[in-house]
Amino acid sequence: TPYNIWLTTVVISGFSYISYLLKRYVFNKSGIIVSGLLGGVYSSMATTVILTKKAATVKESELGQYITAVFCSVSTLYVKYMILMAIFNINLLATYWYAFAIMFVVGLAVAAYFFFRDKKQTKIAQLAAGNDGTVVVDEQEDDKNPLEFQIALLFAFLFIVFTIATHYTIILFGTEGLTALSILVGATDITPFILNLYQAKYPIADSVIVMSTFQAIISSNIIKMFYGIFLSKRRIVKPLLAGFAIITIINLSLFLII
């Protein structure tokens, strides 16, 4: 309904704007890892693009922080969808919160591994250079205000498109079609698709909704990985491949218990 479209657009725009304001004005000098954590709530895809693009030009000793920040943004993405479930489908959250919590912890564990792996080498380089080791990324040229009219309009448009596409996909092809659609949407902004699943009353089980959410996230994560490899000019290929592989495998394994 028009009300659902309006409510969804207002909630996600406001939600993203709070994260944007914190990242831009409150924690703007707090370092790149904090930027990654907040960026995952605002837009994990945009954050990954910004961080990996900058990773192509930074010093070798700073790469560890950029890798850590990328996986921090991936981990907080799961928290974002837990919060959105609490707003739009509290029963779904009450039943499946543990799956999203597990993935949040897994994402943080991967980020922590790369942080501590490079900490010693980075510390030595920082002492030699005479700085405190805090890398601050300037996102002013790359980051977009989520309340800009064009962004809100695009979100509303995608929400309508995915509502129609999901409705007819389920009618014509059932859960198999929904599985294919959830994988395909990884090439776009997955939030409108996922929020449509949380709100609509489709004749599908809650477990299918959660698995479709994870399939969309996995698809999006794989695309982030390839973006990161390309934009970083292949400087962080191995960490991205290893980290996203671990997250993807564990995410897929949760399908056995959902």
Side-chain angles (χ1 to χ4, degrees):
T1 65
Y3 173 76
N4 283 340
I5 296 170
W6 171 83
L7 178 62
T8 303
T9 303
V10 169
V11 168
I12 199 66
S13 296
F15 190 68
S16 298
Y17 193 58
I18 292 172
S19 173
Y20 169 83
L21 289 177
L22 289 172
K23 185 157 59 83
R24 177 61 65 86
Y25 299 110
V26 179
F27 298 106
N28 60 322
K29 300 299 182 183
S30 297
I32 193 171
I33 294 176
V34 173
S35 182
L37 288 168
L38 291 173
V41 178
Y42 167 37
S43 172
S44 181
M45 180 69 78
T47 301
T48 299
V49 168
I50 292 169
L51 292 173
T52 54
K53 186 188 298 184
K54 292 182 181 295
T57 59
V58 300
K59 300 175 183 177
E60 191 73 25
S61 61
E62 296 176 352
L63 283 177
Q65 292 192 54
Y66 281 84
I67 296 165
T68 300
V70 166
F71 289 113
C72 282
S73 76
V74 172
S75 69
T76 52
L77 174 68
Y78 294 95
V79 175
K80 171 182 178 178
Y81 289 119
M82 289 178 71
I83 296 173
L84 291 175
M85 272 192 286
I87 296 172
F88 292 105
N89 195 330
I90 189 65
N91 292 329
L92 195 67
L93 177 64
T95 305
Y96 294 103
W97 64 270
Y98 66 89
F100 291 83
I102 288 172
M103 291 312 305
F104 168 63
V105 172
V106 169
L108 280 186
V110 170
Y113 167 77
F114 288 112
F115 177 78
F116 289 110
R117 187 196 69 168
D118 294 319
K119 188 175 182 181
K120 184 175 180 180
Q121 177 183 352
T122 303
K123 189 66 176 178
I124 293 172
Q126 289 159 359
L127 291 173
N131 61 57
D132 65 359
T134 300
V135 178
V136 178
V137 59
D138 180 11
E139 299 168 283
Q140 300 235 349
E141 294 182 0
D142 303 278
D143 220 356
K144 298 284 187 182
N145 183 336
L147 287 190
E148 287 183 1
F149 179 73
Q150 296 93 330
I151 296 177
L153 189 63
L154 176 60
F155 181 89
F157 173 75
L158 288 174
F159 184 79
I160 295 171
V161 168
F162 285 130
T163 298
I164 297 171
T166 303
H167 174 75
Y168 285 103
T169 296
I170 292 174
I171 289 176
L172 297 174
F173 305 106
T175 55
E176 293 81 5
L178 183 60
T179 296
L181 181 62
S182 64
I183 294 172
L184 290 175
V185 299
T188 67
D189 183 357
I190 64 175
T191 300
F193 168 75
I194 292 173
L195 286 184
N196 170 56
L197 289 178
Y198 290 171
Q199 293 184 73
K201 304 299 182 182
Y202 295 119
I204 55 177
D206 285 351
S207 60
V208 175
I209 294 176
V210 173
M211 285 191 286
S212 295
T213 299
F214 281 149
Q215 284 161 182
I217 293 175
I218 290 169
S219 176
S220 179
N221 281 343
I222 291 172
I223 290 174
K224 288 174 204 169
M225 180 185 72
F226 285 111
Y227 272 153
I229 291 172
F230 174 75
L231 293 173
S232 67
K233 298 181 180 178
R234 301 178 64 85
R235 293 188 73 191
I236 52 177
V237 174
K238 290 182 179 179
L240 290 180
L241 287 174
F244 278 111
I246 291 170
I247 291 171
T248 299
I249 291 170
I250 296 177
N251 211 157
L252 287 172
S253 69
L254 287 177
F255 285 20
L256 299 174
I257 60 175
I258 291 176

